[in-house]
Amino acid sequence: VSSNPDASRSRLIGAELDDPIADLERRARERLPQSIYDYYAAGSGHETTVAANVAAWSTLRLRPRVLRDVSTVDLSTSVLGEPIPHPILVAPTASHSFAHPDAELATVRGAARAGALMVISTRSNVTLEELAPAAPDARHWFQVYVMRDRGWTRELLARAAAAGCTALVLTGDTPYVGRKLRPSMATLRVPDAATANRPSAAPADELASEQDPSVTFESIEWLREESGLPVVVKGVLRGDDAQRCVQAGAAGLVVSNHGGRQLDGAIATATALPEVVDAVGDSAEVYVDGGIRSGTDALRALALGARAVLVGRPVLWALAVDGADGVATMLEQLREQLWEAMSLAGAATIAEITPDLIA
Ligand SMILES: Cc1cc2nc3c(=O)[nH]c(=O)nc-3n(C[C@H](O)[C@H](O)[C@H](O)COP(=O)(O)O)c2cc1C
């Protein structure tokens, strides 16, 4: 809220490394077996969308303002009415046990320390009941798929609400999991991704624990009624879809192509964002993920109308390198970079990050 109390310390960290996230990825790659590094890094198909996500942010040129009082810079904002200290959120990603023995327990602790709202994945390796007490004061949302087994889905919603999650994030872009082509992954056995959050009554067959490819916009209202929680739809890339989600009861949207892991060739999220923001106006909040790798990228996203950004792979690299400490440090570096980018762009508050900052 004030001028950044951690500035001098974080500056030092920043001075050591030009690009802390690229450095983390390098270190994670050295540490992890090839197949696991590839599982995290991969996109679907020829991975053109993975590359497009990162590239699209960097092509957006900025129009900094001069002579604005930035002696104090305030990063605080809110999502769905919940106050948060900065607009950098942790995206839901599966299978953290590949990266660290404490798996999502470490991620939850690291995110909490950095004041970052974390979206917990359905495909976590730690149960919701274990995660909640690991960071009792932190804010969590729960990412959900509508499973073929509706009873299990219902059970998940109740558990998420009981664990203190304050919103559901319905991932809409994954009727089936996009095929990854990296050779090392052919033999990788993903730890039964659903194990931790398995239903109390085992589903009749394996298929039952997969997401239902027949779901439509109607599931938004169903999830809202069943859980009593606001629903955010993740994976929206078009204005018309965004409007249909909002009409169907969504409180928020995540502009996302699943980090390039679903339809290869899908539009970069930086390119899709303005259309979605335009389409929904003030009727819902819009967040974005995919290729956010610096505070300047976050500034760009907010200038295009996103209320917050989510980061996926950087969290996994940080977790692999240094567990909860790694996650906290990485998120603090991003926050520090956003603080610096705001200062130099002449935006003292999140509200002052407006579209005219983009050339
Ligand atoms: C290894 C991995 C696992 C993921 N698992 C999930 C998941 O379980 N549910 C979900 O909605 N999105 C999942 N995602 C997508 C992320 O939530 C997010 O959209 C994406 O990672 C953002 O892009 P970035 O990695 O470039 O930051 C996953 C992404 C990765 C890289």
Side-chain angles (χ1 to χ4, degrees):
V1 172
S2 65
S3 59
N4 195 332
D6 300 334
S8 52
R9 185 176 59 87
S10 303
R11 280 270 164 69
L12 271 177
I13 298 170
E16 285 163 15
L17 312 164
D18 290 352
D19 185 345
I21 290 178
D23 185 68
L24 272 178
E25 177 169 0
R26 258 191 310 276
R27 289 162 68 195
R29 186 174 199 165
E30 284 164 15
R31 224 163 242 254
L32 295 170
Q34 178 76 33
S35 59
I36 290 172
Y37 169 77
D38 282 344
Y39 168 72
Y40 288 154
S44 54
H46 299 291
E47 306 191 351
T48 63
T49 297
V50 184
N53 275 346
V54 173
W57 294 115
S58 63
T59 59
L60 294 172
R61 300 283 94 194
L62 293 157
R63 301 174 64 239
R65 304 179 189 117
V66 299
L67 298 175
R68 303 303 202 272
D69 177 359
V70 290
S71 54
T72 61
V73 172
D74 182 357
L75 273 65
S76 67
T77 183
S78 68
V79 282
L80 301 179
E82 300 181 67
I84 51 174
H86 58 75
I88 300 160
L89 279 46
V90 173
T93 54
S95 310
H96 292 196
S97 63
F98 271 154
H100 194 273
D102 296 338
E104 286 82 3
L105 279 173
T107 323
V108 160
R109 290 188 184 118
R113 226 180 292 156
L117 185 151
M118 175 167 162
V119 186
I120 295 170
S121 169
T122 284
R123 307 297 189 181
S124 297
N125 303 126
V126 178
T127 63
L128 278 159
E129 289 75 13
E130 289 171 277
L131 287 180
D137 300 327
R139 292 176 194 280
H140 297 129
W141 291 354
F142 183 65
Q143 176 267 321
V144 69
Y145 295 111
V146 177
M147 303 297 190
R148 292 182 197 252
D149 181 340
R150 290 293 199 280
W152 178 18
T153 313
R154 225 180 252 122
E155 187 178 304
L156 277 175
L157 304 179
R159 290 172 60 191
C165 297
T166 49
L168 295 177
V169 176
L170 168 64
T171 299
D173 59 14
T174 313
Y176 302 100
V177 175
R179 199 136 49 92
K180 319 295 186 296
L181 304 179
R182 295 196 185 202
S184 69
M185 290 174 65
T187 52
L188 181 72
R189 223 191 126 294
V190 178
D192 182 355
T195 308
N197 289 317
R198 269 229 178 284
S200 45
D205 55 50
E206 278 283 300
L207 256 189
S209 63
E210 288 181 6
Q211 42 264 38
D212 185 343
S214 77
V215 296
T216 65
F217 296 99
E218 284 158 27
S219 55
I220 297 170
E221 189 55 31
W222 181 72
L223 289 172
R224 214 169 62 86
E225 277 176 6
E226 285 290 332
S227 67
L229 297 174
V231 176
V232 172
V233 181
K234 174 168 178 282
V236 175
L237 293 169
R238 304 166 49 114
D240 54 357
D241 275 3
Q243 283 172 343
R244 291 189 68 178
C245 287
V246 174
Q247 281 156 14
L253 304 163
V254 184
V255 172
S256 174
N257 49 36
H258 216 108
R261 292 166 80 85
Q262 286 301 105
L263 179 65
D264 186 36
I267 188 171
T269 50
T271 315
L273 177 59
E275 177 184 329
V276 171
V277 167
D278 261 13
V280 303
D282 293 332
S283 62
E285 294 187 352
V286 179
Y287 324 108
V288 67
D289 72 20
I292 301 277
R293 298 293 178 265
S294 69
T296 309
D297 290 344
L299 178 79
R300 290 166 163 130
L302 268 57
L304 290 182
R307 195 164 180 91
V309 299
L310 297 85
V311 287
R313 293 179 183 86
V315 175
L316 298 168
W317 307 143
L319 181 65
V321 168
D322 201 12
D325 289 346
V327 171
T329 302
M330 185 278 295
L331 291 166
E332 278 161 13
Q333 285 169 332
L334 273 181
R335 187 196 59 187
E336 171 69 16
Q337 289 177 349
L338 175 58
W339 174 86
E340 183 177 7
M342 287 172 67
S343 305
L344 300 183
T349 63
I350 296 293
E352 288 174 22
I353 305 178
T354 45
D356 57 280
L357 285 178
I358 303 285

